[in-house]
Amino acid sequence: MSKKEKTPAVNFIFVTVLIDIIGFGIIIPVLPKLLAEMNDISINEASTYGGYLLTSFAIAQFLFSPVMGSLSDRYGRRPILLLSLLGFSVDYLILAFAPTYAWLVAGRIFAGIFGASHTTASAYIADVSTEENRAQNFGMLGAAFGLGFIIGPFLGGLFGELGVRVPFYVAASLAFINFLYGYFILPESLKVENRRNFDWNRAHPVGTLKQLFSYKQIGFLLVAFFLLHLASHAVNSNWSYFTMYRFNWSESTVGLSLAAAGLLVGIVQAGLAQRVSNRIGTSKSIYYGIALYGIGMLLFAFASASWMMFVFLIPYCLGGICGPVLQSYLVSQVGVNEQGELQGGLTAIQSLTTVFGPLIMTGIFFYTTKDGTPLYFPGSAFFLGALFMGGSFLITFLILRRKEETDVPRA
């Protein structure tokens, strides 16, 4: 792929991820009420069922994302990405027609098996990026996430007024349009000479993680990566339930808040991450960003009014400077023919946090809000998330500061 082709390729991946996230974001505002109505339970009780859905998806993705990543190293990014997009379309249709909760779980497992779109998109970005623009390009992925969470939840709130299942039909349609878009337009990014043979010993989660931890430069940073994403479920898995319970928000208000968060994330990751990294360096961009995430979560935990949740999104979303910079740093530490394996491993780690994160965060939220609880604290999940962020900050600070000291030339 020539340099002239690389910019359109990045733009295409941006659009692909954008449509993908819009489809996911559409269902967020209506999921709590769908679960509550389907199981005849309250909103705060529905949070535990939502946690099980995320966990079932995460277990399947944990097992299969390294396989998909390694397959993309062998056969190229294009066929794996297209397979994933088609799988998501089928998944949303399963969710739309699901007559029982068990069908919802089955649909999420199916999506987890084929859910390699973000893994492969990240490997694609690594293929077409240079050292100078890698953080910026990964920031574009972050911006796609942010913009998708502006459009998706907003549309979800609107379509949700027509019925709790309508957003699922819309999401299925968007995913299929995305598949067609990719089938006719997406070029391949991985040259044949840069591909490697598929190895089952490195394709399963344990083998992939073992291979990644063998790189001394990034081993402990993967632990920090794990804690960061585990903490993020205080927001990702708990936001709708917390705000509906604590402040009696409607689906449209939840959608509006997520749209505001998406706008802020898009601005930070697409516009600020590379500039901040150029100004203060890779290391400070990473651990300062993690610190801002932690501060934002502490503020959420003790918010006492709806408007505070919107204001406190600002420091929380500013923490997004760490995401693309950290991913760019990790990419720089492995070979060209191992990018799919790296991204598959990172997705496996994220999936592992999604196995435990939703259960932990929605579980502690329910425990601290249920009738007769000995500790009433609706913001408990955010507080726990801040503690996990503190652990991630400590690890990255110690490792990256030590690396900076060893990299300083001695007189």
Side-chain angles (χ1 to χ4, degrees):
M1 184 177 293
S2 68
K3 290 184 178 179
K4 289 183 178 180
E5 292 175 309
K6 287 183 178 181
T7 297
V10 171
N11 292 338
F12 174 85
I13 292 296
F14 173 85
V15 173
T16 298
V17 173
L18 173 62
I19 297 175
D20 198 11
I21 297 302
I22 289 174
F24 176 77
I26 279 177
I27 70 174
I28 291 177
V30 298
L31 191 58
K33 283 198 173 180
L34 174 63
L35 293 173
E37 291 177 6
M38 181 176 284
N39 297 285
D40 193 25
I41 54 178
S42 64
I43 288 292
N44 61 324
E45 288 178 290
S47 67
T48 58
Y49 285 80
Y52 295 144
L53 278 183
L54 288 172
T55 298
S56 61
F57 171 83
I59 291 174
Q61 191 171 60
F62 172 73
L63 294 174
F64 286 92
S65 60
V67 176
M68 293 297 193
S70 291
L71 285 173
S72 77
D73 280 341
R74 174 65 182 88
Y75 297 104
R77 317 301 183 201
R78 184 178 186 275
I80 306 304
L81 185 57
L82 292 178
L83 179 65
S84 174
L85 295 175
L86 185 61
F88 271 124
S89 181
V90 174
D91 164 59
Y92 290 131
L93 284 177
I94 294 174
L95 299 182
F97 289 103
T100 64
Y101 180 73
W103 277 89
L104 293 180
V105 174
R108 290 285 77 193
I109 292 173
F110 182 86
I113 293 173
F114 291 97
S117 59
H118 302 156
T119 297
T120 314
S122 295
Y124 198 109
I125 290 296
D127 292 339
V128 302
S129 299
T130 65
E131 187 74 28
E132 292 75 22
N133 66 10
R134 187 181 295 123
Q136 179 180 349
N137 287 344
F138 277 115
M140 288 289 288
L141 280 188
F145 274 82
L147 187 58
F149 272 107
I150 294 173
I151 301 172
F154 175 74
L155 292 178
L158 292 179
F159 287 116
E161 299 295 331
L162 303 176
V164 292
R165 294 180 185 267
V166 172
F168 294 94
Y169 295 113
V170 177
S173 301
L174 285 174
F176 188 69
I177 291 171
N178 209 4
F179 165 77
L180 294 177
Y181 180 51
Y183 182 82
F184 289 107
I185 297 177
L186 180 67
E188 179 56 62
S189 64
L190 186 64
K191 297 179 181 178
V192 175
E193 60 268 26
N194 289 332
R195 301 181 187 184
R196 64 179 178 86
N197 292 330
F198 183 84
D199 182 358
W200 274 111
N201 292 325
R202 293 172 60 174
H204 59 79
V206 175
T208 296
L209 294 177
K210 182 179 179 181
Q211 177 67 21
L212 294 181
F213 273 95
S214 69
Y215 296 104
K216 295 181 179 179
Q217 306 95 319
I218 65 175
F220 282 106
L221 285 178
L222 296 178
V223 178
F225 186 85
F226 171 84
L227 290 174
L228 188 155
H229 284 277
L230 183 64
S232 71
H233 283 284
V235 176
N236 299 343
S237 305
N238 190 57
W239 183 269
S240 297
Y241 303 102
F242 172 81
T243 53
M244 284 183 171
Y245 173 83
R246 183 74 173 85
F247 304 114
N248 198 31
W249 282 9
S250 65
E251 295 96 326
S252 59
T253 306
V254 171
L256 180 62
S257 68
L258 292 174
L263 176 61
L264 291 170
V265 168
I267 293 172
V268 169
Q269 297 205 344
L272 289 181
Q274 184 72 62
R275 295 180 182 180
V276 171
S277 178
N278 292 341
R279 177 175 286 272
I280 68 176
T282 297
S283 299
K284 290 181 179 178
S285 298
I286 294 172
Y287 52 73
Y288 284 178
I290 295 173
L292 285 167
Y293 272 144
I295 292 170
M297 286 188 178
L298 278 178
L299 293 172
F300 290 148
F302 295 100
S304 58
S306 287
W307 65 266
M308 292 182 179
M309 299 300 289
F310 283 90
V311 172
F312 295 160
L313 280 172
I314 296 174
Y316 177 77
C317 291
L318 282 173
I321 60 175
C322 79
V325 181
L326 175 59
Q327 194 160 16
S328 175
Y329 177 80
L330 294 174
V331 163
S332 70
Q333 303 301 306
V334 303
V336 174
N337 64 349
E338 297 172 313
Q339 293 300 328
E341 180 180 50
L342 169 65
Q343 299 305 328
L346 293 179
T347 301
I349 292 173
Q350 290 176 272
S351 300
L352 190 60
T353 68
T354 309
V355 172
F356 301 107
L359 296 178
I360 293 172
M361 299 306 178
T362 58
I364 194 172
F365 167 70
F366 176 62
Y367 177 78
T368 56
T369 57
K370 67 179 182 179
D371 293 339
T373 181
L375 177 63
Y376 182 78
F377 183 22
S380 56
F382 297 121
F383 187 81
L384 181 59
L387 294 179
F388 287 142
M389 282 294 181
S392 181
F393 171 85
L394 185 61
I395 292 172
T396 55
F397 180 81
L398 292 176
I399 292 176
L400 295 177
R401 281 295 294 270
R402 185 181 305 164
K403 183 180 183 299
E404 286 179 339
E405 291 172 358
T406 57
D407 287 346
V408 174
R410 297 183 178 180

